[in-house]
Amino acid sequence: FFIKYFIKNLDMSISIYTFVNLKTSYNMKNITIIIEHSNNFYWAYAENVEGISAGGETVQEAKNGIFEAIALQKELGNFLYNNYQLTYKYDTESLLQYFKGIISNPAFERLTGINQKLIHQYAVGLKKPRTAQRQKIQEGLHKLGAELLSIQL
């Protein structure tokens, strides 16, 4: 079981990829998980596979629920994929809320060049970022990810 995170822009939203069971890179099913935030609750559901959905008070609870839903669908014989890739699609607000305990607004400012007050407005839904701003967020996270992947201890 191997998990590696890559951050990529897809359909104008920010996505995080999770690769699961990577024994072969062909015949892999891509399952797109949409994560939405509503009234202090996160919903996650598969855009392209029926029967996979979950919710929770945090993104992590919703994501854990997705793995439980996949396990249940496997038990029921409804999930036939051995090799699959989960793609988590976030809107910018949900992504910033999810990472706010890990990456502060000043840190996002250093990563992206976007003023931390504007980052805060994106995170709480007061403003929606333009395509260029989402691109800056994505590039900043890619740069951080590449730096972290290059570390050896």
Side-chain angles (χ1 to χ4, degrees):
F1 184 21
F2 179 77
I3 298 176
K4 195 169 188 179
Y5 294 99
F6 294 93
I7 299 171
K8 186 174 181 182
N9 190 353
L10 180 66
D11 295 334
M12 306 312 293
S13 63
I14 298 173
S15 301
I16 294 181
Y17 289 88
T18 302
F19 296 97
V20 179
N21 196 14
L22 290 181
K23 293 181 181 172
T24 59
S25 61
Y26 56 94
N27 295 329
M28 187 178 299
K29 175 69 174 172
N30 182 39
I31 302 170
T32 302
I33 306 296
I34 308 298
I35 296 180
E36 299 175 341
H37 183 254
S38 176
N39 297 326
N40 297 323
F41 200 79
Y42 290 90
W43 288 104
Y45 59 91
E47 181 178 58
N48 55 342
V49 176
E50 290 186 33
I52 299 175
S53 63
E57 292 181 9
T58 66
V59 169
Q60 194 58 52
E61 286 179 11
K63 288 169 71 175
N64 290 344
I66 289 296
F67 286 110
E68 291 172 13
I70 290 171
L72 177 62
Q73 292 301 325
K74 282 182 176 182
E75 283 181 34
L76 297 172
N78 297 332
F79 190 87
L80 306 175
Y81 312 108
N82 289 326
N83 295 313
Y84 60 94
Q85 166 182 307
L86 298 181
T87 304
Y88 294 99
K89 284 178 62 173
Y90 295 85
D91 60 17
T92 305
E93 178 182 346
S94 295
L95 179 82
L96 293 171
Q97 284 292 321
Y98 179 51
F99 282 106
K100 80 177 185 180
I102 299 167
I103 304 173
S104 66
N105 288 347
F108 263 114
E109 181 176 12
R110 286 189 301 277
L111 286 171
T112 65
I114 300 171
N115 181 285
Q116 62 182 292
K117 290 180 183 177
L118 194 52
I119 292 288
H120 173 74
Q121 291 172 345
Y122 296 157
V124 297
L126 293 175
K127 290 191 175 187
K128 301 287 183 203
R130 298 181 323 268
T131 302
Q133 298 296 77
R134 285 193 305 267
Q135 186 69 29
K136 284 182 180 181
I137 293 169
Q138 173 186 297
E139 288 172 2
L141 291 172
H142 279 194
K143 185 177 176 182
L144 174 62
E147 186 72 26
L148 292 172
L149 286 173
S150 69
I151 294 172
Q152 290 185 357
L153 299 175

